[in-house]
Amino acid sequence: MRARRAGLPRAARATVAGAALAGAACVAPALERFRETEWAVLLPLAALYAFCEYLPRCPLLGHRVPGNVGAFFPVLLTAVVLLPPEAAALTGVPGALVGRVREHHAAARRIWHAGQLALAAYAAGWTHELLNRGAAEADFPYALVPALAAALALCAVRTALDGWILVAAEGCAPRTAWRGQFTRAAGPHLAHGLAGLMMAVLWRSPYGPVAALFVLLPMYICCWVFAQYHRERGAHQATIRALVQAVDIKDRYTRGHSERVGRASVLIARELGMDDSRTEVLRFAGILHDVGKLGVPTRLLRKDGPLTPEERRVIELHPEYGHEMVRGIGFLGEARSAILHHHERMDGSGYPYGLSGGEIPEFARVVAVADAFDAMTSTRSYRKARPVRVALEELERCAGTQFDPAMVRALGRALRRTGWHAAVTADLPAGRDGGGIARARGAEAAGAAQESVR
């Protein structure tokens, strides 16, 4: 839950209070029927869940523990299978009260989290109980049905309440608050449901509760690996953003161009049927294709007149500069070849090495088309954008000589299906530079080859 600095809005306070009261009503029967509650099961599970929630904020171990390890729902779902709904609802409350939350409105966040978990576990408990009546716990495969249904009920209540608090605390539009939340969370919750069922079966087996705890070990390892993957992915994204921002700052006339080339490259990749991993790397290639401009003198990138042959040769070194800059970034993979060769031409007249046809790497052929297309359809300070139809006609005219015809056709099919929206890429209005740039660069709009050179 993200809270505003000025204090919780009245709607958010009412929502937190309502969740707390509803959660208390759910767990009250377990406390009222104190002697009937199976504390020998509830207390160990509650302590285990509280331990998992507390680990990320532990002063000694917190920096080594993935932040999402606290949400160990297999423990809650084990309680759902083994205990009545009101006792299952009580299992997650201590953990919610000791878990890590943001410092701003920390007390309200903990109360909300406790109420949310109690309501979700209570709903999951009743779902399991209704579907499991008259069936033995070890009656497989039927036992999977109530366990997985309980996991989905837990997921549904949690995501519904998450959206509700976003609307109440942040004023988020309801459609935005709930859109896609359940779909994204359902898969992990189903996996947690299976793990919870395994723990419950082992708990009641001759091997006892200790054996059930071993189910958590592979779950923790998976959680840790997943967290490491996201941490590494975040570092990759930060690296890409930093390089792109540096290029945009240096070459102000093509601001935003890199991101759009990455987007167009993805459209082509999906049309060609590339798998997700290659598509992601190709997106990096499109975003970073001009990173070598960091090695080009700024006066050339911002020159208010035509380039001399010598200056053009200097600018044409930017693919090699870019390749050297990213040579040691292992996760870029095939993207490095695209950065080096995206100005090669199918007829062999491109640069830096004059490759032709199939000698040009596939990623470079994709980025070349995406690069020229965005250059033609983007408004620059020295000319207006061309319509998408005109840009596609120009690409088709140059297909076979400058561009790979298969890539041009793929982009055309994708655009006919999805459309294209290009934003203005220069902050300066036309004429702000005295007209020099517009006059000097007007000739560059004559062909696709000239569109992407600077």
Side-chain angles (χ1 to χ4, degrees), residues 37-52:
T37 301
E38 199 173 353
W39 296 103
V41 176
L42 194 158
L43 290 178
L45 290 175
L48 180 60
Y49 187 81
F51 176 73
C52 292

Side-chain angles (χ1 to χ4, degrees), residues 121-340:
Y122 188 74
W126 271 112
T127 301
H128 185 272
E129 187 166 297
L130 290 173
L131 293 176
N132 200 47
R133 283 178 179 173
E137 289 177 357
D139 184 15
F140 286 98
Y142 180 77
L144 292 172
V145 175
L148 295 180
L152 289 177
L154 184 81
C155 176
V157 174
R158 287 189 63 249
T159 54
L161 292 174
D162 281 338
W164 190 357
I165 197 65
L166 283 176
V167 173
E170 304 254 346
C172 186
R175 184 176 179 181
T176 303
W178 280 291
R179 184 170 51 196
Q181 280 205 46
F182 179 80
T183 304
R184 290 191 297 269
H189 277 77
L190 287 173
H192 293 156
L194 291 174
L197 179 61
M198 291 171 60
M199 287 185 65
V201 171
L202 286 172
W203 195 287
R204 297 298 194 194
S205 74
Y207 300 103
V210 176
L213 297 180
F214 282 100
V215 176
L216 293 180
L217 182 59
M219 290 292 293
Y220 175 83
I221 293 173
C222 291
C223 183
W224 184 84
V225 170
F226 192 66
Q228 291 296 106
Y229 165 76
H230 277 279
R231 188 176 296 130
E232 184 176 348
R233 182 180 173 84
H236 293 173
Q237 298 286 359
T239 301
I240 300 296
R241 282 196 301 270
L243 290 171
V244 170
Q245 286 172 359
V247 174
D248 284 349
I249 290 171
K250 186 163 188 174
D251 189 3
R252 65 177 179 266
Y253 298 114
T254 57
R255 187 166 298 133
H257 169 65
S258 298
E259 288 85 350
R260 289 192 301 276
V261 172
R263 180 154 54 92
S265 298
V266 168
L267 291 178
I268 297 173
R270 289 175 177 164
E271 198 66 33
L272 295 175
M274 290 187 187
D275 59 46
D276 290 344
S277 60
R278 291 194 76 209
T279 298
E280 180 73 355
V281 175
L282 182 54
R283 185 175 73 86
F284 289 155
I287 290 174
L288 292 176
H289 73 286
D290 275 344
V291 69
K293 286 184 177 180
L294 293 173
V296 176
T298 304
R299 62 180 178 81
L300 297 185
L301 298 176
R302 300 184 179 183
K303 184 178 179 182
D304 291 352
L307 299 171
T308 67
E310 180 59 32
E311 289 170 338
R312 183 169 293 277
R313 282 193 290 271
V314 172
I315 283 186
E316 288 178 355
L317 290 173
H318 79 269
E320 295 177 273
Y321 291 156
H323 184 258
E324 287 300 313
M325 289 177 186
V326 302
R327 182 191 294 272
I329 305 178
F331 71 85
L332 288 178
E334 292 181 80
R336 296 193 292 268
S337 65
I339 293 169
L340 178 61

Side-chain angles (χ1 to χ4, degrees), residues 264-275 278-279 282 362-363 365-367 369 404-411 413-414 417:
S265 298
V266 168
L267 291 178
I268 297 173
R270 289 175 177 164
E271 198 66 33
L272 295 175
M274 290 187 187
D275 59 46
R278 291 194 76 209
T279 298
L282 182 54
E362 182 182 28
F363 275 22
R365 285 178 273 144
V366 172
V367 172
V369 171
D404 186 334
M407 307 307 174
V408 174
R409 289 193 297 270
L411 180 62
R413 290 194 301 269
R417 187 172 60 253

